[in-house]
Amino acid sequence: VLSLVGGMSRTSVPPSEITLAAAVGVFSESGHWALALALWADFGRQGVLPNVVAYGALISVLETCGQWQSALGLVESMRGAGPQPNLFVHNSLLSSCEKGQQWQLSLVLFDELRLAGEEMDGITFNATISACEKG
């Protein structure tokens, strides 16, 4: 993946947020979250502004790899200067709290979503309940 993405600079195909989301998503299965973050930074240096799908892909990688702190930081950066988090992003963050046994944080985040009137679904509730069960 890294060599494919690196090869884009030698072609007329510019990197985009779509390429970023696809490339980052590959790291979910392999557990190489640090490589996903490095790729994310590299795309940023090339001027690629990630969309909510790209953010969701990276947060999903971080969730899968148990990196709840990084997932939280990424969502906080979205709220400050990026696209606004959607249901998938919120659910991935709650799932990362569950995997990291951060039940108190999960409850705080759930309450923030509820008070803000954000969209919720069964996954939102299940991830929060599961975090409490494991905590």
Side-chain angles (χ1 to χ4, degrees):
V1 171
L2 295 176
S3 63
L4 283 173
V5 171
M8 290 182 77
S9 64
R10 294 183 297 275
T11 69
S12 61
V13 179
S16 69
E17 68 276 0
I18 296 168
T19 311
L20 175 60
V24 164
V26 169
F27 294 107
S28 184
E29 295 298 319
S30 67
H32 291 107
W33 60 272
L35 287 175
L37 286 175
L39 185 65
W40 184 271
D42 186 52
F43 269 71
R45 284 188 294 276
Q46 295 180 53
V48 175
L49 297 174
N51 60 14
V52 71
V53 175
Y55 273 100
L58 182 56
I59 291 166
S60 182
V61 169
L62 296 170
E63 170 214 338
T64 301
C65 298
Q67 299 297 312
W68 66 269
Q69 301 98 326
S70 296
L72 179 61
L74 199 59
V75 172
E76 287 174 352
S77 74
M78 285 179 79
R79 291 178 179 151
Q84 291 306 298
N86 63 10
L87 179 63
F88 177 78
V89 168
H90 288 137
N91 286 345
S92 292
L93 179 58
L94 287 168
S95 292
S96 73
C97 290
E98 170 201 351
K99 290 180 177 150
Q101 299 181 351
Q102 300 298 311
W103 65 272
Q104 293 167 319
L105 178 58
S106 184
L107 286 175
V108 168
L109 294 170
F110 180 87
D111 203 39
E112 286 176 2
L113 294 174
R114 185 183 58 79
L115 291 173
E118 294 285 346
E119 182 181 5
M120 297 177 158
D121 64 6
I123 296 170
T124 313
F125 285 86
N126 290 339
T128 306
I129 291 167
S130 186
C132 292
E133 177 185 39
K134 292 178 181 178

